[in-house]
């Protein structure tokens, strides 16, 4: 519980520390999502920008734009993968409701697909954060690392997910703050969570570099 609060407070602190840049980057990300095709590259860029924030580095909008250009192909690959899976899971949940109606079996199958959708979406927050902690930003390796983290820290991941959901919902109530900086906050939570779990390895790497 303490670790989850540490992650959440660190993410909120980083948003406040660079709130104007966070607002602009979040707006650019939202515009890319609306346009659909650049949504993947913009999401990957958002996670690299917030990775720099989580490391305590000074950032600006240029970091987001440079990451967008540098990882455009990787972002497209991630976007296509997630677009396909989200379409399949959401579509299956919808079709199940139409075919089975309000029967117990229909609700059970719909619940399964919706749970899988939530799990996959939450997994991506950690996978994208892992991209920029690896020696190379390899998507397949990042997904494996995120799945491994889930398996070894299921309580931490579950509690953090619940707190994140509560925070984002509270932000909607409080003057639509989640719309203004929600993407940046979510990416920061993923980066802080991954860096917290990797802290022993990060410290060893810092010692080796010295």
């Amino acid at each position: 519980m303490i670790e989850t609060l540490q992650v959440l407070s660190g993410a909120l602190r980083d948003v406040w520390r660079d709130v104007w840049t966070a607002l602009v980057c979040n707006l650019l990300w939202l515009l890319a999502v609306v346009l659909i095709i650049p949504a993947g590259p913009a999401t990957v860029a958002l996670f690299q920008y917030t990775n720099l924030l989580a490391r305590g580095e000074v950032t600006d909008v240029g970091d987001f734009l440079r990451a967008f250009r540098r990882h455009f192909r990787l972002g497209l690959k991630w976007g296509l993968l997630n677009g396909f899976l989200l379409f399949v899971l959401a579509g299956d949940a919808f079709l199940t409701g139409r075919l089975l109606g309000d029967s117990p079996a229909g609700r059970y199958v719909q619940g399964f697909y919706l749970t899988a959708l939530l799990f996959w979406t939450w997994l991506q927050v950690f996978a994208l954060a892992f991209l920029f902690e690896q020696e190379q930003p390899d998507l397949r390796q990042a997904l494996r690392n995120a799945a491994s983290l889930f398996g070894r820290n299921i309580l931490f991941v579950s509690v953090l997910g619940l707190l994140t959901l509560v925070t984002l919902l509270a932000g909607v109530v409080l003057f639509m703050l989640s719309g203004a900086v929600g993407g940046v906050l979510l990416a920061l939570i993923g980066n802080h969570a991954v860096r917290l779990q990797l802290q022993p390895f990060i410290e060893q790497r810092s010692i080796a570099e010295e």
Side-chain angles (χ1 to χ4, degrees), residues 139-159:
L139 182 56
R140 185 178 300 179
Q141 183 64 47
L143 288 168
R144 284 199 296 264
N145 286 334
S148 176
L149 188 149
F150 269 45
R152 290 183 288 104
N153 302 276
I154 188 63
L155 181 61
F156 167 78
V157 168
S158 300
V159 174

Side-chain angles (χ1 to χ4, degrees), residues 4 11 14 41 84 86 109 122 127 151 155 157 172 197:
T4 58
D14 284 343
F84 172 75
L86 293 179
V109 176
W122 189 226
L155 181 61
V157 168
V172 172
Q197 297 300 319

Side-chain angles (χ1 to χ4, degrees), residues 84-94 112-114 116-118 120:
F84 172 75
L85 287 174
L86 293 179
F87 175 79
V88 169
L89 291 172
D92 283 346
F94 174 76
F112 169 79
Y113 284 123
L114 291 175
L117 183 61
L118 288 174
W120 178 258

Side-chain angles (χ1 to χ4, degrees), residues 8-29:
L8 190 58
S9 63
L12 290 169
R13 182 179 62 249
D14 284 343
V15 169
W16 180 251
R17 179 165 58 89
D18 197 16
V19 64
W20 296 113
T21 302
L23 285 167
V24 174
C25 289
N26 199 81
L27 176 60
L28 292 174
W29 173 73

Side-chain angles (χ1 to χ4, degrees), residues 113-144:
Y113 284 123
L114 291 175
T115 300
L117 183 61
L118 288 174
F119 173 83
W120 178 258
T121 302
W122 189 226
L123 182 72
Q124 298 314 296
V125 174
F126 291 82
L128 289 173
F130 264 114
L131 272 178
F132 304 108
E133 295 296 337
Q134 301 169 169
E135 292 185 2
Q136 296 294 330
D138 181 76
L139 182 56
R140 185 178 300 179
Q141 183 64 47
L143 288 168
R144 284 199 296 264

Side-chain angles (χ1 to χ4, degrees), residues 54-114:
R55 292 168 181 262
E57 298 185 21
V58 177
T59 58
D60 56 35
V61 179
D63 293 305
F64 175 86
L65 297 176
R66 283 188 291 272
F68 181 85
R69 291 192 298 269
R70 184 182 305 120
H71 301 297
F72 190 84
R73 291 181 63 184
L74 176 64
L76 281 180
K77 181 179 178 181
W78 178 86
L80 288 172
L81 171 64
N82 279 271
F84 172 75
L85 287 174
L86 293 179
F87 175 79
V88 169
L89 291 172
D92 283 346
F94 174 76
L95 290 176
T96 298
R98 295 295 298 270
L99 294 173
L100 299 180
D102 198 33
S103 66
R107 290 196 298 270
Y108 176 81
V109 176
Q110 272 191 314
F112 169 79
Y113 284 123
L114 291 175

